[in-house]
């Protein structure tokens, strides 16, 4: 018997995706993105300065920060600021978002500017890092279309896919991710090129043939997410 998804979706279906732009009064670019019940607010700040290692090189920089509200999850978690420093997972995700967004930008065309994307998880139900990448790109493009539109050379989006009780599934919420045999997060461009692939065998090792199927499914989902990004910016 095939695995029945808790929300009734087809195996190759994304969760309902909504993207709103211009949701911040002060940020140069902003987007609120929802992958089903996972909701992330992405704010882009543009500054006319660069990190010290880029001074005098006439090129820009993109970086990201990531945080989760204490009640983004069923039980309240402690603010990382109260713990004294961000945790390892937070550092991992914000580096992933920064790398992904730099793949979408011609840093030379950006000029001596820095863009910081703040990704704030309002509600978490699996896929917060993929939502942050996808929404972060929208906030970035929203900010740069006024100051350096030519710098954005391609879209970047991300989604998860995996094997749950033998079934190949796209865009896993927490109820599926928590019991997955294999879970793979894929970041790719609108040119179909891979930026990053993070895959883990949670329940059992998976074969090369299974990995290829997971990757194909994720890339098909990313193509649909890119359509949603473009629609949000029209």
């Amino acid at each position: 018997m095939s695995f029945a998804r808790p929300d009734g979706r087809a195996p190759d279906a994304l969760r309902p995706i909504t993207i709103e732009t211009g949701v911040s009064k002060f940020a140069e670019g902003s987007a609120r993105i929802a992958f089903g019940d996972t909701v992330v607010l992405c704010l882009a700040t543009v500054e006319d300065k660069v990190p010290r290692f880029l001074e005098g090189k006439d090129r820009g920089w993109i970086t990201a920060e990531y945080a989760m509200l204490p009640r983004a999850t069923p039980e309240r978690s402690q603010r990382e600021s109260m713990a004294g420093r961000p945790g390892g997972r937070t550092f991992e995700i914000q580096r992933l978002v920064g790398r992904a967004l730099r793949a979408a930008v011609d840093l030379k065309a950006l000029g001596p500017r820095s863009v910081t994307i703040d990704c704030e998880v309002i509600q978490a139900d699996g896929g917060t890092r993929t939502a942050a990448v996808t929404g972060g790109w929208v906030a970035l493009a929203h900010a740069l279309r006024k100051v350096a539109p030519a710098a954005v050379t391609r879209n970047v989006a991300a989604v998860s896919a995996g094997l749950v009780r033998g079934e190949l599934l796209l865009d896993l919420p927490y109820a599926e991710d928590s019991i997955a045999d294999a879970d793979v997060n894929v970041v790719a461009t609108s040119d179909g090129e891979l930026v990053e692939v993070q895959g883990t065998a949670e329940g059992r090792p998976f074969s090369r043939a299974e990995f290829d199927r997971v990757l194909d499914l994720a890339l098909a989902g990313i193509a649909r997410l890119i359509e949603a990004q473009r629609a949000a910016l029209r």
Side-chain angles (χ1 to χ4, degrees), residues 59-211:
R59 58 192 290 117
W61 189 244
I62 311 291
T63 191
E65 295 188 12
Y66 169 97
M68 188 178 293
L69 293 180
R71 275 313 302 266
T73 51
E75 295 182 359
R76 188 183 188 277
S77 59
Q78 183 183 35
R79 290 184 190 274
E80 291 183 324
S81 61
M82 298 299 293
R85 67 189 300 273
R89 178 180 180 273
T90 295
F91 276 121
E92 175 203 350
I93 293 175
Q94 60 193 31
R95 284 196 290 261
L96 166 69
V97 177
R99 285 193 301 269
L101 298 182
R102 287 193 292 275
V105 174
D106 179 343
L107 296 176
K108 191 75 174 175
L110 179 59
R113 300 183 181 92
S114 292
V115 186
T116 302
I117 309 296
D118 288 296
C119 301
E120 309 292 334
V121 179
I122 299 171
Q123 188 165 275
D125 185 31
T128 61
R129 71 187 65 198
T130 57
V133 169
T134 306
W137 182 90
V138 176
L140 174 66
H142 187 240
L144 292 185
R145 63 184 180 180
K146 289 185 178 179
V147 296
V152 181
T153 58
R154 57 185 67 85
N155 291 59
V156 167
V159 77
S160 66
L163 296 162
V164 180
R165 296 180 182 171
E167 189 82 21
L168 178 61
L169 303 177
L170 181 66
D171 191 17
L172 279 60
Y174 178 77
E176 295 170 351
D177 177 69
S178 61
I179 61 170
D181 296 320
D183 180 23
V184 181
N185 294 304
V186 179
V187 184
T189 72
S190 47
D191 301 322
E193 296 176 322
L194 296 171
V195 177
E196 189 141 348
V197 179
Q198 301 176 333
T200 305
E202 304 281 0
R204 63 171 178 82
F206 54 105
S207 69
R208 169 65 182 274
E210 288 174 320
F211 173 74

